[in-house]
C-alpha cells in the first residue's frame, strides 16, 4: 500500500471515531431518559397499588346498626271474645343492633327500646270501656341473617329468629262510658300502672327482610321490615283471666350500617 492509501484509511478511521464520540452521549441520554420514564411509570404503578391497598378494606367481622322504627302493634288471641274488640296502635322502637360474621351468613343481636300494645274495647250492658295499652320492653334479638349477594356490597337480606323482650313498663289510658236511665256519663283515667297484669318477659318469633345500600367504604343505609308475634301469652291472671293474650306487631325501621 502507498502513503495515499494509508492516509485515506486513517482519515476514514478518524471520522468514524469522531462520529462515535459525537453520537454516543445522545444514545446514553436516550437510555437515561428511557430509564427515568420506566422508573416514573413504575413509581406511578406503585402509587396506584398503594392507593388501591388503602381503599381495599377487608370485610370486617363486626357491624353496628343504630336504627329507629315505627311499630304497628296489636293484641291477638282475644278478638271477639267476651264482647271485646281490639284495634292496632302506633308505637315506636329505637336502639342499636350488632352483626357478627361476614359473607352471606351473619348472627344478629342488639339492644332495643321497644313499645307494644293495643286498644281494647269491652262492651257490656249499660257501659262501654276502652283501654289504650302501652307496654315498654327492652328487646334483645337473637337472629340469623342471610345476605344476597354478599354483606360487603349493597345487598338484600332476610332474617329470622327470636326476640327476648324484658318488660320495663306497662300503662293504659282508660275511657268509660255508661248509660243509665237515658243519661250518658263518661270519664277517663290516664297513665294507670298495669305492669302486674303482664309477664316480665315476652319471647317473640320474628322474621323479615331488608336492604343495605353501601354509600361509603364502611357505611351504608339499612331499611328493614319485620313481623313479630309472641310465642306464649303475655298476660297474667290480673288481666282478662281465662284468655291468652299475645303481642303482635309489624316493625318498619331504618338506620345506618357501620362496619367496625
Amino acid at each position: 500500500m502507498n502513503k495515499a492509501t494509508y492516509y485515506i484509511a486513517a482519515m476514514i478511521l478518524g471520522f468514524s471515531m469522531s462520529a462515535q464520540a459525537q453520537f454516543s452521549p445522545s444514545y446514553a441520554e436516550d437510555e437515561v431518559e428511557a430509564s427515568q420514564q420506566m422508573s416514573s411509570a413504575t413509581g406511578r404503578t406503585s402509587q396506584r397499588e398503594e392507593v388501591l391497598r388503602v381503599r381495599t378494606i377487608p370485610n370486617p367481622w363486626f357491624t353496628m346498626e343504630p336504627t329507629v322504627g315505627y311499630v304497628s302493634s296489636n293484641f291477638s288471641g282475644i278478638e271477639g271474645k267476651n264482647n271485646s274488640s281490639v284495634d292496632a296502635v302506633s308505637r315506636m322502637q329505637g336502639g342499636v343492633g350488632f352483626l357478627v360474621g361476614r359473607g352471606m351468613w351473619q348472627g344478629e343481636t342488639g339492644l332495643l327500646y321497644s313499645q307494644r300494645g293495643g286498644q281494647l274495647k269491652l262492651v257490656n250492658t249499660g257501659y262501654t270501656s276502652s283501654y289504650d295499652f302501652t307496654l315498654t320492653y327492652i328487646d334483645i334479638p337473637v337472629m340469623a341473617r342471610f345476605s344476597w349477594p354478599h354483606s360487603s356490597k349493597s345487598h338484600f337480606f332476610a332474617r329470622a329468629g327470636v326476640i327476648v323482650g324484658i318488660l320495663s313498663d306497662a300503662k293504659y289510658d282508660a275511657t268509660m262510658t255508661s248509660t243509665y236511665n237515658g243519661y250518658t256519663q263518661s270519664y277517663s283515667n290516664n297513665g294507670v300502672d298495669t305492669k302486674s297484669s303482664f309477664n316480665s318477659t315476652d319471647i317473640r318469633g320474628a322474621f323479615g327482610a331488608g336492604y343495605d345500600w353501601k354509600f361509603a367504604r364502611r357505611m351504608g343505609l339499612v331499611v328493614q321490615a319485620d313481623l313479630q308475634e309472641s310465642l306464649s301469652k303475655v298476660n297474667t291472671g290480673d288481666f282478662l283471666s281465662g284468655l291468652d293474650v299475645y303481642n303482635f306487631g309489624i316493625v318498619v325501621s331504618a338506620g345506618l350500617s357501620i362496619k367496625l
Side-chain angles (χ1 to χ4, degrees):
M1 265 185 204
N2 56 24
K3 291 183 178 180
T5 303
Y6 280 113
Y7 182 73
I8 292 172
M11 288 181 65
I12 293 173
L13 180 61
F15 278 120
S16 298
M17 295 178 65
S18 176
Q20 184 177 3
Q22 181 178 357
F23 289 105
S24 291
S26 176
Y27 295 149
E29 289 175 0
D30 291 343
E31 291 179 0
V32 170
E33 183 178 356
S35 176
Q36 289 176 347
Q37 289 177 354
M38 291 179 63
S39 176
S40 176
T42 303
R44 287 195 298 269
T45 302
S46 299
Q47 291 176 356
R48 190 179 299 112
E49 290 176 352
E50 183 65 25
V51 169
L52 289 175
R53 278 196 295 269
V54 171
R55 291 183 177 178
T56 305
I57 299 174
N59 190 21
W61 280 92
F62 298 97
T63 302
M64 181 174 66
E65 289 185 350
T67 60
V68 293
Y70 163 82
V71 182
S72 177
S73 180
N74 206 343
F75 290 134
S76 64
I78 58 177
E79 178 70 29
K81 297 179 180 180
N82 294 345
N83 296 320
S84 65
S85 63
V86 183
D87 293 325
V89 294
S90 298
R91 296 293 183 256
M92 60 86 65
Q93 176 179 285
V96 60
F98 294 97
L99 300 177
V100 181
R102 59 185 179 182
M104 291 186 174
W105 287 99
Q106 295 170 290
E108 181 176 351
T109 186
L111 203 62
L112 302 169
Y113 174 89
S114 180
Q115 291 182 327
R116 297 290 186 273
Q119 193 170 60
L120 174 65
K121 181 180 289 186
L122 301 176
V123 178
N124 291 291
T125 303
Y127 70 91
T128 301
S129 303
S130 296
Y131 302 88
D132 192 345
F133 289 88
T134 300
L135 312 180
T136 303
Y137 292 90
I138 303 299
D139 282 354
I140 303 172
V142 182
M143 306 179 75
R145 178 182 292 194
F146 177 76
S147 300
W148 179 262
H150 196 281
S151 63
S152 64
K153 305 174 183 179
S154 296
H155 60 274
F156 289 98
F157 63 85
R159 62 180 191 167
V162 298
I163 296 177
V164 180
I166 301 172
L167 184 66
S168 64
D169 189 44
K171 293 185 180 341
Y172 69 80
D173 297 334
T175 300
M176 296 185 182
T177 302
S178 63
T179 301
Y180 182 74
N181 290 334
Y183 294 96
T184 300
Q185 294 180 332
S186 63
Y187 68 93
S188 61
N189 195 359
N190 296 329
V192 179
D193 186 357
T194 187
K195 190 175 180 179
S196 62
S197 299
F198 295 90
N199 293 321
S200 58
T201 58
D202 174 26
I203 299 178
R204 290 173 237 120
F207 67 92
Y211 187 76
D212 188 348
W213 175 60
K214 303 295 183 186
F215 60 84
R217 288 179 297 173
R218 291 183 177 270
M219 190 171 293
L221 174 66
V222 61
V223 179
Q224 57 197 5
D226 295 327
L227 184 67
Q228 302 178 11
E229 185 166 16
S230 302
L231 299 178
S232 60
K233 71 173 188 175
V234 297
N235 61 315
T236 65
D238 295 339
F239 175 55
L240 296 180
S241 179
L243 296 179
D244 294 340
V245 181
Y246 302 89
N247 279 323
F248 175 82
I250 298 173
V251 184
V252 179
S253 60
L256 296 175
S257 172
I258 306 170
K259 292 188 175 296
L260 302 178

Short mmCIF file of all heavy atoms in Angstrom, two decimals, residues 14-29:
data_model
loop_
_atom_site.label_atom_id
_atom_site.label_comp_id
_atom_site.label_asym_id
_atom_site.label_seq_id
_atom_site.Cartn_x
_atom_site.Cartn_y
_atom_site.Cartn_z
N GLY A 14 -10.51 8.08 11.50
CA GLY A 14 -10.68 9.26 12.36
C GLY A 14 -12.10 9.78 12.37
O GLY A 14 -12.66 10.13 13.40
N PHE A 15 -12.69 9.85 11.15
CA PHE A 15 -14.08 10.31 11.07
C PHE A 15 -15.04 9.37 11.81
O PHE A 15 -15.98 9.78 12.48
CB PHE A 15 -14.50 10.42 9.60
CG PHE A 15 -14.06 11.70 8.94
CD1 PHE A 15 -13.23 11.67 7.83
CD2 PHE A 15 -14.48 12.93 9.44
CE1 PHE A 15 -12.82 12.85 7.23
CE2 PHE A 15 -14.07 14.10 8.83
CZ PHE A 15 -13.22 14.08 7.72
N SER A 16 -14.74 8.06 11.70
CA SER A 16 -15.59 7.08 12.40
C SER A 16 -15.52 7.26 13.90
O SER A 16 -16.53 7.25 14.60
CB SER A 16 -15.15 5.66 12.02
OG SER A 16 -15.31 5.45 10.65
N MET A 17 -14.31 7.43 14.43
CA MET A 17 -14.13 7.63 15.87
C MET A 17 -14.77 8.93 16.31
O MET A 17 -15.38 9.02 17.38
CB MET A 17 -12.67 7.60 16.24
CG MET A 17 -12.01 6.23 16.02
SD MET A 17 -10.25 6.25 16.42
CE MET A 17 -10.33 6.55 18.18
N SER A 18 -14.64 9.97 15.47
CA SER A 18 -15.23 11.27 15.82
C SER A 18 -16.75 11.18 15.86
O SER A 18 -17.41 11.70 16.75
CB SER A 18 -14.79 12.33 14.80
OG SER A 18 -15.42 13.55 15.06
N ALA A 19 -17.30 10.49 14.83
CA ALA A 19 -18.76 10.33 14.80
C ALA A 19 -19.26 9.55 15.99
O ALA A 19 -20.27 9.86 16.61
CB ALA A 19 -19.17 9.65 13.50
N GLN A 20 -18.53 8.49 16.36
CA GLN A 20 -18.93 7.68 17.54
C GLN A 20 -18.87 8.52 18.79
O GLN A 20 -19.75 8.43 19.64
CB GLN A 20 -18.01 6.48 17.65
CG GLN A 20 -18.41 5.54 18.77
CD GLN A 20 -17.53 4.30 18.81
OE1 GLN A 20 -16.58 4.19 18.02
NE2 GLN A 20 -17.85 3.40 19.71
N ALA A 21 -17.80 9.32 18.90
CA ALA A 21 -17.68 10.18 20.08
C ALA A 21 -18.77 11.23 20.13
O ALA A 21 -19.23 11.62 21.19
CB ALA A 21 -16.30 10.84 20.08
N GLN A 22 -19.22 11.69 18.96
CA GLN A 22 -20.24 12.73 18.93
C GLN A 22 -21.62 12.20 19.28
O GLN A 22 -22.39 12.84 19.99
CB GLN A 22 -20.27 13.36 17.54
CG GLN A 22 -21.30 14.49 17.40
CD GLN A 22 -21.24 15.12 16.02
OE1 GLN A 22 -20.40 14.74 15.18
NE2 GLN A 22 -22.12 16.07 15.78
N PHE A 23 -21.94 11.00 18.76
CA PHE A 23 -23.30 10.48 18.95
C PHE A 23 -23.47 9.59 20.17
O PHE A 23 -24.58 9.33 20.59
CB PHE A 23 -23.74 9.71 17.70
CG PHE A 23 -23.99 10.60 16.51
CD1 PHE A 23 -23.06 10.65 15.47
CD2 PHE A 23 -25.11 11.39 16.45
CE1 PHE A 23 -23.28 11.48 14.39
CE2 PHE A 23 -25.33 12.21 15.36
CZ PHE A 23 -24.41 12.27 14.32
N SER A 24 -22.45 9.11 20.79
CA SER A 24 -22.57 8.24 21.97
C SER A 24 -23.27 8.91 23.13
O SER A 24 -24.12 8.33 23.79
CB SER A 24 -21.18 7.74 22.41
OG SER A 24 -20.68 6.84 21.44
N PRO A 25 -22.97 10.21 23.47
CA PRO A 25 -23.70 10.86 24.57
C PRO A 25 -25.20 10.91 24.31
O PRO A 25 -26.00 10.79 25.22
CB PRO A 25 -23.09 12.25 24.62
CG PRO A 25 -21.73 12.08 24.05
CD PRO A 25 -21.88 11.05 22.98
N SER A 26 -25.58 11.10 23.03
CA SER A 26 -27.01 11.15 22.72
C SER A 26 -27.67 9.82 23.01
O SER A 26 -28.75 9.75 23.59
CB SER A 26 -27.21 11.52 21.24
OG SER A 26 -28.57 11.48 20.90
N TYR A 27 -26.98 8.73 22.59
CA TYR A 27 -27.52 7.42 22.90
C TYR A 27 -27.62 7.20 24.40
O TYR A 27 -28.59 6.66 24.92
CB TYR A 27 -26.64 6.33 22.28
CG TYR A 27 -26.62 6.34 20.76
CD1 TYR A 27 -25.50 5.94 20.06
CD2 TYR A 27 -27.76 6.77 20.05
CE1 TYR A 27 -25.49 5.96 18.66
CE2 TYR A 27 -27.74 6.79 18.66
CZ TYR A 27 -26.60 6.40 17.96
OH TYR A 27 -26.58 6.40 16.61
N ALA A 28 -26.61 7.64 25.13
CA ALA A 28 -26.62 7.49 26.59
C ALA A 28 -27.75 8.28 27.21
O ALA A 28 -28.44 7.83 28.13
CB ALA A 28 -25.28 7.94 27.18
N GLU A 29 -27.97 9.51 26.68
CA GLU A 29 -29.06 10.33 27.21
C GLU A 29 -30.40 9.66 26.96
O GLU A 29 -31.30 9.68 27.79
CB GLU A 29 -29.02 11.71 26.56
CG GLU A 29 -27.85 12.57 27.04
CD GLU A 29 -27.77 13.88 26.27
OE1 GLU A 29 -28.66 14.08 25.39
OE2 GLU A 29 -26.88 14.67 26.55
#
